[in-house]
Amino acid sequence: EICPTVDNCLVRGMFKILDAQIALYLAPPEGEEEAGDKGKPDDVVNGAFIFALIWSVGATCDHNGRPKFDQKLREIAEETGYGKLIPGKGDESESCYDMQFYLKTRNWCGWFDTRTPFVLDAKTAFSDIAVPTLDTVRMAHVVEILSLQMCNVLCVGATGTGKSVVVNERLGKDMPERFLPKFMAFSASTGCNMVQDQIDAVMDKRRKGIFGPPLGKKMLIIVDDLNMPSKEEYGAQPPIEVMRQWMDHKGWYDRKTLDRKSTRLNSSHL
């Protein structure tokens, strides 16, 4: 595994991806046409479940572990009579990770089969060029379907693997207009008060003690370099702790008036 995981969290993540796919199938996002033929429920649920399983339980594997997961998944599926549901050929040329479940057609296809060809604008600055690769396309797709359903997402990986570029490209430019991204970057000098002030600054007051994004908008809080804040005396990182408090308890206390400020309306974190 790239980082340690808990089995319960992997199962919860699987169901989040499954729920997100079903919700998008029933109500496509803005700008996309709804499928005329909804098909049989089994056609959607079976494919969506396998996709969610691959990109939750199987997504924690490193490069060397993915062929082993692909083989084990096929063995279990064959034993239970569901071998035909697993996508790909099952060899080095095409594993289950190389296919996506396309909701419109309810079929498996390659990751680039549903994307428009990449065309580089000659006027694009060199620092702004982001050429899509198989890994960035896969990561962007999973992040997008979860963000559209306002699920909290944590992107992990080694330095320089393109996490920030993928998130900024997909969530900063390609999301529907109703989504309002708020970008934040943590550093060694970031404090918990600074985090609270930055988030409070972009929230509107709805009624006493209740805050949220502007009317008609959904807020996406995007935090880069989450691990950077300095540790305090007992090993905790206050900026991360105050973010966790906000996610768990949907708010915090005003430091001046000591009144509780709840943010319960249309906000998710990445």
Side-chain angles (χ1 to χ4, degrees):
E1 288 185 323
I2 296 175
C3 64
T5 57
V6 180
D7 291 346
N8 291 345
C9 291
L10 294 179
V11 174
R12 185 182 180 190
M14 181 188 71
F15 281 110
K16 279 187 176 183
I17 297 176
L18 176 60
D19 289 344
Q21 291 181 96
I22 299 299
L24 291 174
Y25 178 73
L26 297 175
E30 299 173 11
E32 292 190 11
E33 296 182 1
E34 189 171 349
D37 178 19
K38 287 293 185 181
K40 299 179 181 179
D42 286 352
D43 296 337
V44 180
V45 175
N46 288 340
F49 175 81
I50 296 299
F51 180 86
L53 175 64
I54 294 170
W55 291 104
S56 56
V57 178
T60 64
C61 302
D62 57 18
H63 180 73
N64 295 327
R66 288 190 173 186
K68 299 177 183 178
F69 176 84
D70 180 80
Q71 181 181 3
K72 187 64 177 180
L73 179 61
R74 294 179 191 281
E75 291 176 358
I76 296 175
E78 289 291 344
E79 292 173 359
T80 55
Y82 292 99
K84 294 182 179 180
L85 295 180
I86 309 303
K89 300 176 182 179
D91 53 25
E92 294 182 359
S93 65
E94 190 178 86
S95 70
C96 62
Y97 295 95
D98 297 322
M99 307 290 288
Q100 67 163 319
F101 183 68
Y102 193 45
L103 293 172
K104 285 186 178 180
T105 61
R106 304 178 298 282
N107 291 315
W108 293 91
C109 62
W111 285 98
F112 286 96
D113 293 344
T114 58
R115 291 180 58 89
T116 56
F118 174 73
V119 178
L120 179 61
D121 188 348
K123 298 181 181 179
T124 304
F126 180 78
S127 58
D128 296 332
I129 296 176
V131 180
T133 65
L134 180 59
D135 286 325
T136 60
V137 169
R138 292 187 294 202
M139 175 183 169
H141 178 74
V142 176
V143 168
E144 180 184 25
I145 62 176
L146 289 172
S147 298
L148 286 171
Q149 300 305 313
M150 304 303 292
C151 296
N152 298 322
V153 183
L154 177 63
C155 298
V156 299
T159 303
T161 52
K163 300 183 298 297
S164 300
V165 174
V166 171
V167 170
N168 292 342
E169 282 288 323
R170 183 51 61 98
L171 301 187
K173 301 178 181 179
D174 297 335
M175 293 292 281
E177 293 184 0
R178 70 177 183 274
F179 288 91
L180 184 63
K182 165 61 178 175
F183 295 94
M184 301 171 58
F186 282 2
S187 67
S189 60
T190 301
C192 56
N193 291 347
M194 186 186 306
V195 174
Q196 182 176 355
D197 291 340
Q198 287 188 42
I199 294 179
D200 283 344
V202 296
M203 296 294 175
D204 292 348
K205 185 175 182 179
R206 300 294 179 84
R207 57 184 184 272
K208 184 178 180 179
I210 303 297
F211 295 78
L215 288 174
K217 297 291 185 179
K218 294 184 177 183
M219 182 70 69
L220 295 175
I221 307 295
I222 303 171
V223 182
D224 197 9
D225 294 328
L226 185 67
N227 65 317
M228 287 296 290
S230 300
K231 295 181 180 180
E232 44 101 88
E233 180 181 358
Y234 300 101
Q237 294 167 284
I240 299 178
E241 294 301 326
V242 77
M243 287 288 294
R244 187 171 65 88
Q245 175 189 332
W246 191 45
M247 294 169 65
D248 290 346
H249 300 281
K250 307 301 181 185
W252 39 44
Y253 288 91
D254 188 297
R255 301 196 304 276
K256 294 181 180 179
T257 65
L258 302 184
D259 293 332
R260 178 170 172 77
K261 302 175 69 174
S262 297
T263 308
R264 303 180 179 180
L265 304 171
N266 301 330
S267 297
S268 69
H269 313 75
L270 190 141

